[in-house]
Amino acid sequence: MKLLLRWVASAVAIGIAVYLLPGALEWDGRIETLFVVALILGLVNAIVRPIVKGLACGLIVLTLGLALFVINALMLYLTGFIAGHFGYGFRPRDFVSALLASIVISVATWILSMLIKDRDDR
């Protein structure tokens, strides 16, 4: 149940990013696209992101963690590429849009996961 709630929270966070950054993320307007993109983003973050972070650990240390923002934006780009490959209309417009959207998605997911955690603790 907790996994399902986190998946829904991730889809809502992506929807928030689409709403707050009009024009930054191209979206086909279908709700199921948000859920598929949330699933793809979760898989990309679980499989690809640790490999990229391991390869870029020196750069992450050198930039005091700022390179993680770039890695997050690249993961969003990869998610958009994979979603488009499966016929779902979602992709960042450019790198700056991906960077801003990844920050909004991260913050929104963090806030929503805190709400889910609080609700489970009661």
Side-chain angles (χ1 to χ4, degrees), residues 78-100:
L78 180 60
T79 299
F81 174 77
I82 294 170
H85 206 57
F86 285 108
Y88 292 96
F90 177 86
R91 70 182 186 96
R93 189 181 49 147
D94 55 12
F95 179 75
V96 174
S97 299
L99 187 65
L100 292 173

Side-chain angles (χ1 to χ4, degrees), residues 44-109:
V44 165
N45 282 337
I47 297 168
V48 179
R49 190 170 184 248
I51 296 169
V52 173
K53 281 175 62 176
L55 293 173
C57 65
L59 185 61
I60 292 169
V61 170
L62 187 65
T63 61
L64 302 174
L66 292 177
L68 289 171
F69 289 115
V70 174
I71 291 172
N72 285 344
L74 292 174
M75 295 303 108
L76 193 60
Y77 253 119
L78 180 60
T79 299
F81 174 77
I82 294 170
H85 206 57
F86 285 108
Y88 292 96
F90 177 86
R91 70 182 186 96
R93 189 181 49 147
D94 55 12
F95 179 75
V96 174
S97 299
L99 187 65
L100 292 173
S102 67
I103 292 169
V104 170
I105 291 170
S106 296
V107 169
T109 303

Side-chain angles (χ1 to χ4, degrees), residues 25-45:
L25 296 173
E26 296 176 7
W27 173 51
D28 61 8
R30 298 182 302 172
I31 297 298
E32 66 261 16
T33 298
L34 295 178
F35 286 101
V36 170
V37 168
L39 179 66
I40 294 170
L41 185 60
L43 290 172
V44 165
N45 282 337

